[in-house]
Amino acid sequence: MAGGAERGGVALVGAAPGAPRCPHGPALLFVKTGQEKTEGRRFYACSACRDRKDCNFFQWEDEKVSDTRLAAREEYNRNHQPSFTHGQNVERYKDFVLLPLSKRRFCQECQQLLLPAEWEKHSDHQFLCDISTAQLRSPSRLLYPLENKKTNAQYLFADRSCQFLLDLIIDLGFRRVLCVGTPRLHEMIQSKDSQEEVFRVRSLLLDIDFRYSQFYTEDEFCHYNMFNHHFFGGEAAYETCRKFLCQDSGEGVIMVTDPPFGGLVEALASSFKKLMAMCKETEKEGHNNQEMSIFWIFPYFFESRILEFFPSFNMMDYQVDYDNHALYKHGKTGRRQSPVRIFTNLAPSKIVLPVEEGYRFCAICQRYVSSGNQHCEICNSCTSKDGRRWKHCVLCKKCVKPSWFHCNNCNCCALQNHTCEKTDPGCFVCGKAGHKRSTCPSLSHTRICQAGKKQRQKTLKRLTMGICRRSAMKHAVFSRKKVKHKKKKM
């Protein structure tokens, strides 16, 4: 994967062979971009964390790292891995479920199931008692959600959306679901599978949150980083995923993924393509060459970025809502509706949306749309992206948001009180247009001038203080001489 969108003067190059590692697996390669979008120096940074506060790994591509530093890095990576392996957690879970209800405890501070021998160690922590079988089957409700928008962002599906997805998957005839970052859908499938004899859907969860290894076996959960396609469990975990995807020659499987919305789309797309390729590894000769079906759940304003990597995808109007997100809730109107949609490579006509929730079938577009998404005869499409009725602009030759108006200066539609592109305020340092403050060529000169000014101020301050001290000392000496002279006269 090369190229990629710029993010504050930095562009993603992609995964590189032999890349250095941080606690989140192999780092990704980035490049600093100049004022004219020319490539600058390349460097490695954490694949999962865009904020250096979350993971401060950084290394220039051409940097020579000493053996001492490499050893220290390996030691740091080992120290930042979970205290128990997945296999150990599975054995602990077997012991935990055999305990009577009164001895089942969960440490809220450590986010860990506790065996009686461990109670003393956690005596000063907050914990939950009497953990029921129902709670063990719904770990996403037992664990605290990790809400870092760029790394984890565990905004969990509301029951309405989760049930809709599962019903849709079953109606479409899928028998296996690869849940990439969708723990609530996985636990709903697992729970139904354990309770209903006729339930025939199986699932495998891939997630960066290792806490789920306490509740699922190695065949049900793989510790996985979706930004660099890294299986923390190594070859064994990779093989578990491959076998799951390749059953029945890859037929009857669908991937459902709900990545953090602040993550890099190009990094996600690269990993998803690799998962799709895994599905074809054991195809028989003469088997149809169809790609693995996908539901990629993401905000609608990322549509152009997703289509850039998956041109065959379509965006559905269904609004996905979450339990623990203040804005992404169902039932709101206008701009307050959830912006999260389903992107899929399945034919839109196959995706039946619930009429009772305000969706209708457009016979012309041959797909279900929201009730406010009216068909435009000029565009010959249901054009709304956000659930509101959009209006057609003759000058732009497309439909736009109802709050937008055509601007003759910009020659396009925008908000009425927008700042025109032709009246670019320019750089804050030099006032010229075409670049930002951070890439201003005058910035280094300005910094030198400011540094020189500060140095002159410090020198002047020291001189002033020196003069004051000398003056004070002279005054003190003169006062002492005056006192002695008076004493002699007496």
Side-chain angles (χ1 to χ4, degrees), residues 35-303:
Q35 187 177 340
E36 302 297 328
K37 295 187 178 180
T38 54
E39 287 196 359
R41 198 173 179 186
R42 289 152 59 123
F43 63 92
Y44 291 102
C46 177
S47 60
C49 305
R50 298 271 59 80
D51 194 332
R52 295 286 294 276
K53 293 178 182 178
D54 299 316
C55 181
N56 63 0
F57 180 84
F58 181 92
Q59 180 186 315
W60 294 110
E61 184 188 26
D62 55 1
E63 182 180 357
K64 292 183 179 179
V65 183
S66 66
D67 292 339
T68 304
R69 188 177 164 194
L70 283 173
R73 179 185 292 170
E74 289 175 5
E75 180 67 21
Y76 178 85
N77 290 346
R78 279 194 299 270
N79 292 337
H80 283 75
Q81 294 307 312
S83 54
F84 294 107
T85 65
H86 194 168
Q88 289 171 332
N89 275 336
V90 171
E91 294 303 315
R92 287 167 51 80
Y93 182 83
K94 291 177 181 178
D95 294 336
F96 188 87
V97 295
L98 294 175
L99 295 171
L101 196 63
S102 60
K103 290 190 176 183
R104 291 183 183 179
R105 293 186 180 182
F106 177 77
C107 180
Q108 291 181 294
E109 188 170 326
C110 301
Q111 295 285 282
Q112 182 181 316
L113 297 173
L114 297 180
L115 298 173
E118 300 165 341
W119 289 0
E120 182 64 29
K121 185 180 177 181
H122 300 260
S123 59
D124 57 341
H125 295 175
Q126 293 283 335
F127 52 82
L128 297 174
C129 299
D130 304 336
I131 303 300
S132 65
T133 302
Q135 286 176 295
L136 294 174
R137 286 176 179 164
S138 302
S140 69
R141 301 179 191 276
L142 193 62
L143 301 167
Y144 286 138
L146 304 174
E147 296 185 350
N148 183 312
K149 293 181 181 179
K150 297 180 180 180
T151 311
N152 307 105
Q154 286 181 332
Y155 297 126
L156 302 164
F157 292 146
D159 288 340
R160 161 192 163 270
S161 291
C162 200
Q163 189 63 59
F164 164 76
L165 285 169
L166 182 54
D167 290 343
L168 179 61
I169 287 166
I170 294 171
D171 291 342
L172 290 169
F174 293 105
R175 299 182 297 277
R176 299 189 314 286
V177 185
L178 183 66
C179 298
V180 183
T182 56
R184 187 152 286 180
L185 177 62
H186 175 67
E187 69 186 35
M188 181 177 281
I189 294 172
Q190 293 289 312
S191 181
K192 286 182 178 292
D193 183 40
S194 63
Q195 297 176 50
E196 301 177 15
E197 291 184 9
V198 294
F199 194 73
R200 293 290 180 266
V201 179
R202 301 290 180 268
S203 63
L204 172 65
L205 175 63
L206 307 186
D207 204 291
I208 199 169
D209 188 354
F210 189 70
R211 297 177 300 172
Y212 285 103
S213 67
Q214 299 178 87
F215 305 90
Y216 301 119
T217 66
E218 289 96 331
D219 293 331
E220 298 168 338
F221 169 77
C222 292
H223 192 199
Y224 175 77
N225 182 348
M226 69 175 77
F227 291 103
N228 59 2
H229 188 57
H230 177 63
F231 289 86
F232 293 88
E235 189 62 33
Y238 179 91
E239 189 62 19
T240 295
C241 182
R242 191 193 66 80
K243 286 182 178 179
F244 179 84
L245 293 175
C246 294
Q247 287 177 29
D248 302 326
S249 299
E251 289 188 341
V253 63
I254 184 171
M255 183 177 90
V256 182
T257 181
D258 183 30
F261 300 155
L264 292 169
V265 173
E266 47 268 60
L268 293 168
S270 176
S271 294
F272 298 161
K273 286 180 179 180
K274 289 174 182 176
L275 288 171
M276 294 167 77
M278 286 173 67
C279 192
K280 295 183 178 182
E281 285 184 14
T282 57
E283 281 187 350
K284 297 177 181 178
E285 289 186 15
H287 182 69
N288 56 25
N289 198 29
Q290 289 184 346
E291 62 183 11
M292 179 172 64
S293 301
I294 294 180
F295 284 162
W296 181 344
I297 295 161
F298 227 49
Y300 70 81
F301 38 80
F302 282 99
E303 182 182 19

Side-chain angles (χ1 to χ4, degrees), residues 413-431:
C413 286
L415 288 169
Q416 199 162 17
N417 58 348
H418 75 286
T419 302
C420 292
E421 291 182 4
K422 292 185 179 181
T423 57
D424 190 345
C427 172
F428 287 113
V429 176
C430 66

Side-chain angles (χ1 to χ4, degrees), residues 298-337:
F298 227 49
Y300 70 81
F301 38 80
F302 282 99
E303 182 182 19
S304 61
R305 296 289 291 130
I306 292 176
L307 295 182
E308 181 182 339
F309 297 99
F310 294 101
S312 64
F313 277 30
N314 290 285
M315 187 182 78
M316 302 295 98
D317 274 18
Y318 184 81
Q319 296 178 17
V320 180
D321 59 321
Y322 298 80
D323 269 349
N324 57 328
H325 198 290
L327 298 178
Y328 301 169
K329 298 282 188 182
H330 176 63
K332 294 183 177 180
T333 57
R335 296 182 67 183
R336 295 180 63 84
Q337 298 175 94

Side-chain angles (χ1 to χ4, degrees), residues 383-397:
T383 54
S384 173
K385 308 292 183 184
D386 60 9
R388 297 178 292 170
R389 183 171 183 172
W390 286 20
K391 60 184 181 182
H392 189 85
C393 176
V394 178
L395 297 174
C396 290
K397 297 180 181 179

Side-chain angles (χ1 to χ4, degrees), residues 401-459:
K401 295 179 179 180
S403 56
W404 286 16
F405 297 89
H406 194 85
C407 174
N408 292 323
N409 290 330
C410 301
N411 196 29
C412 66
C413 286
L415 288 169
Q416 199 162 17
N417 58 348
H418 75 286
T419 302
C420 292
E421 291 182 4
K422 292 185 179 181
T423 57
D424 190 345
C427 172
F428 287 113
V429 176
C430 66
K432 296 179 181 179
H435 64 268
K436 295 181 181 180
R437 179 183 183 280
S438 59
T439 57
C440 179
S442 304
L443 189 61
S444 58
H445 174 71
T446 304
R447 284 174 177 167
I448 292 169
C449 292
Q450 288 175 346
K453 186 178 178 182
K454 286 182 180 179
Q455 186 63 39
R456 288 195 297 272
Q457 287 175 344
K458 286 180 180 179
T459 305

